[in-house]
Structures are given as structure tokens and as C-alpha cells.
């Protein structure tokens, strides 16, 4: 059963419009989550804003947004002023431009969402927009209010549907030059590169979602299951120390040893 959509609105390209529904493409619903409790009463603890100087709770009606311009000096903004700078419509994905599908680097991708037609009558319009993007190798760029913020979004055709990616803001992506410029210009030894290539080939496997599993989550579930059955406190498990290998004096010998080790493991499998 498909999950319920968390957003409904319209997909618009010029005069072509169709109703659509959107759902997050990823979920953390299965993650182990904890509540903070009062250990003396076993009641849940709630959080609230307090005045930093007086320590007294602040009523919700007295909370206001402020931009700091100096020490203890703030520019106050009312809710209607913040709303005035937003999009006129929060329910329309109006595609106002297209770019080459491979021109947006992965680092700009934020959160993926599945976009589908929400009405059989509008399915043809949805399909036309999707197929045209696929045929031209383009993705659509629009703006949308999601998660209480206005964001740039990218629409990418994917099978029968469209994947809508929220994009990171321009000031969130750091320039690689600030970090990679410290790396020297030395070229790797071709023989070493060949050996590393062999090591990569030996360790290459088909992608499986289990490779991105969460072992901590699994261990937490085991602990919770034990406590449900009334067992004693779970014993602490120490992680096995990782061999750092020390200082590698001869890279060639280290690579040959690694390849030999991989071959040995494969032979015993």
C-alpha cells in the first residue's frame, strides 16, 4: 500500500496545469526514537522557551523573530512581514525554466520526493510534461514552500512519475577549491594505479540496500526486545579494535599484500 501524500497542489507549465500529489521518497518512521522522561515519576518531559535573563517561561503570543545586528540589539520582524516575502502560492509548482539533466551536481541535491498525478483527467498533462523532459534530457526548476521554507526544487522524470528534489541554498554549498587546493599536483605511479584497480575489481559487488544498513539501530532493537522480556541489563559489547596498519613504508608491497589477502578469502569462500 502506497504511503499517503503529505502535499497536494498543481503542476504548471505555461498554460498546462494538472493536480498532483507528493510524498517523501525516504522515511525515518522505522527508526528507534526515545522520549525524555522524569526518572522519578516516569512522566514525559516537555520543553518550553524561557527568558534567558529572568529564567521565566515565555508565552507563545510573546515570542517574536529577531535578527541580531549588535550585542543585545535586534531587528524585530512580525509574522505578517515574514509571510509577505514568501511565494504568492504555496500550492503550485510552476516550472519557469529548464536545465540540462546532468548540469546540477549531486552536492546540490537535498531531499527527494515522489510526484504523481492526483486526478485521472490530469494524467495526460502530467505525462506530456514528464515525457517531454525525458526526451529532451532536461529537468525542470521551480520554487515551492516546503518544510516552512521557500526552496528551489528540481523536477526529474523517473519511470512513470517525477522525482522532485529540494535543492540546497546557494550559501550552503562550500567551494571545493577552499579544501582541495592544499592537495599537491603529483601524479600517481601507473603501476600503483593498476594494483589499486585490481583491488577495486576484486571488492566490487552488485549494489544492495543492505550495504547502507544501520547496525546501531539493530543493536538497539535487540536491547529493547530483551528489556520487554524482563531480561537483565544488556552487557556492553566492545567494538573490535581496527588495525590501522601503522606507517606504510612501501605502498607497492602493501597493495600486493592486500590483493593476496583478498584472493585468499575468495578461495576459502
Amino acid at each position: 500500500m502506497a504511503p499517503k501524500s503529505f502535499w497536494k497542489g498543481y503542476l504548471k507549465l505555461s498554460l498546462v496545469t494538472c493536480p498532483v500529489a507528493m510524498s517523501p521518497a525516504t522515511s525515518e518512521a522505522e527508526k528507534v526514537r526515545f522520549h525524555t522522561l522524569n526518572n522519578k515519576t516516569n512522566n514525559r518531559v516537555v520543553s518550553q522557551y524561557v527568558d534567558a535573563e529572568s529564567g521565566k517561561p515565555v508565552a507563545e503570543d510573546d515570542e517574536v523573530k529577531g535578527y541580531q545586528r549588535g550585542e543585545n540589539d535586534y531587528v524585530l520582524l512580525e509574522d505578517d512581514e515574514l509571510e509577505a516575502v514568501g511565494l504568492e502560492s504555496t500550492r503550485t509548482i510552476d516550472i519557469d525554466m529548464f536545465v540540462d539533466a546532468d548540469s546540477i551536481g549531486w552536492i546540490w541535491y537535498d531531499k527527494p520526493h515522489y510526484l504523481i498525478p492526483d486526478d485521472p483527467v490530469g494524467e495526460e498533462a502530467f505525462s506530456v510534461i514528464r515525457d517531454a523532459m525525458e526526451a529532451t534530457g532536461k529537468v525542470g526548476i521551480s520554487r515551492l514552500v516546503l518544510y516552512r521554507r521557500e526552496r528551489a526544487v528540481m523536477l526529474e522524470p523517473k519511470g512513470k512519475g517525477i522525482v522532485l528534489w529540494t535543492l540546497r541554498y546557494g550559501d550552503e554549498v562550500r567551494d571545493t577549491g577552499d579544501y582541495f587546493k592544499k592537495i599537491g599536483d603529483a601524479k600517481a605511479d601507473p603501476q600503483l594505479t593498476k594494483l589499486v584497480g585490481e583491488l577495486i575489481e576484486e571488492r566490487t559487488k552488485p549494489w544492495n540496500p543492505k550495504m547502507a544498513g544501520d547496525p546501531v539501530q539493530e543493536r538497539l532493537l535487540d536491547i529493547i526486545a530483551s528489556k520487554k522480556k524482563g531480561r537483565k541489563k544488556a552487557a556492553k559489547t566492545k567494538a573490535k579494535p581496527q588495525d590501522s596498519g601503522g606507517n606504510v613504508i612501501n605502498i607497492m608491497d602493501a597493495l600486493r599484500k592486500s590483493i593476496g589477502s583478498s584472493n585468499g578469502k575468495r578461495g576459502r569462500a
Side-chain angles (χ1 to χ4, degrees):
M1 184 177 179
K4 294 181 179 179
S5 58
F6 87 123
W7 184 95
K8 288 190 176 184
Y10 296 89
L11 177 63
K12 184 175 184 291
L13 174 59
S14 188
L15 300 178
V16 179
T17 305
C18 64
V20 290
M22 181 165 53
S23 299
T26 59
S27 172
E28 294 187 356
E30 302 302 319
K31 290 289 185 184
V32 174
R33 298 183 183 279
F34 298 101
H35 295 293
T36 301
L37 307 178
N38 182 335
N39 196 38
K40 294 181 179 179
T41 64
N42 215 35
N43 296 329
R44 285 185 56 182
V45 175
V46 297
S47 59
Q48 62 180 167
Y49 287 106
V50 298
D51 189 292
E53 296 298 326
S54 69
K56 295 181 179 179
V58 179
E60 186 175 350
D61 291 341
D62 293 330
E63 296 172 12
V64 63
K65 297 288 191 299
Y67 176 82
Q68 188 170 9
R69 60 183 175 186
E71 186 175 358
N72 297 323
D73 184 15
Y74 298 87
V75 177
L76 303 184
L77 297 173
E78 302 294 337
D79 288 343
D80 56 351
E81 293 176 308
L82 295 172
E83 293 173 1
V85 300
L87 290 176
E88 293 182 6
S89 173
T90 60
R91 290 291 164 185
T92 301
I93 306 169
D94 191 353
I95 308 177
D96 54 6
M97 71 180 77
F98 295 89
V99 299
D100 291 335
D102 59 357
S103 64
I104 302 178
W106 62 268
I107 200 168
W108 292 96
Y109 290 26
D110 185 20
K111 293 182 180 180
H113 305 76
Y114 293 143
L115 194 67
I116 61 173
D118 194 38
D119 187 320
V121 177
E123 190 170 315
E124 181 179 11
F126 179 93
S127 300
V128 167
I129 296 174
R130 176 201 64 205
D131 292 350
M133 287 195 294
E134 181 72 34
T136 58
K138 308 294 183 183
V139 292
I141 303 295
S142 183
R143 300 196 72 82
L144 186 65
V145 175
L146 279 178
Y147 310 108
R148 299 184 179 181
R149 297 185 71 181
E150 182 181 325
R151 302 165 181 271
V153 297
M154 182 193 80
L155 293 93
E156 175 188 19
K158 185 70 67 175
K160 294 183 179 180
I162 292 174
V163 176
L164 181 146
W165 284 88
T166 56
L167 299 177
R168 300 186 191 280
Y169 296 98
D171 57 0
E172 290 180 339
V173 178
R174 294 175 175 175
D175 187 355
T176 57
D178 295 337
Y179 302 88
F180 297 166
K181 65 183 179 182
K182 297 179 181 179
I183 302 174
D185 297 326
K187 298 294 182 181
D189 186 320
Q191 284 186 295
L192 296 178
T193 302
K194 182 181 178 182
L195 285 175
V196 173
E198 292 178 17
L199 192 59
I200 290 172
E201 286 295 328
E202 289 177 358
R203 299 191 178 194
T204 297
K205 299 179 180 179
W207 162 252
N208 188 319
K210 291 182 179 179
M211 294 178 180
D214 186 348
V216 173
Q217 167 103 348
E218 294 171 4
R219 290 195 286 268
L220 281 173
L221 289 173
D222 288 341
I223 293 173
I224 292 170
S226 297
K227 285 182 171 288
K228 282 182 178 179
K229 294 178 180 179
R231 296 177 185 170
K232 294 181 178 180
K233 189 175 181 180
K236 293 183 178 179
T237 56
K238 292 184 178 180
K240 294 181 180 179
Q242 296 288 332
D243 182 11
S244 64
N247 295 324
V248 178
I249 299 175
N250 190 311
I251 300 177
M252 184 74 76
D253 290 344
L255 285 171
R256 285 173 176 160
K257 184 178 179 181
S258 297
I259 293 172
S261 176
S262 296
N263 287 333
K265 290 179 180 178
R266 180 172 296 182
R268 292 193 298 270

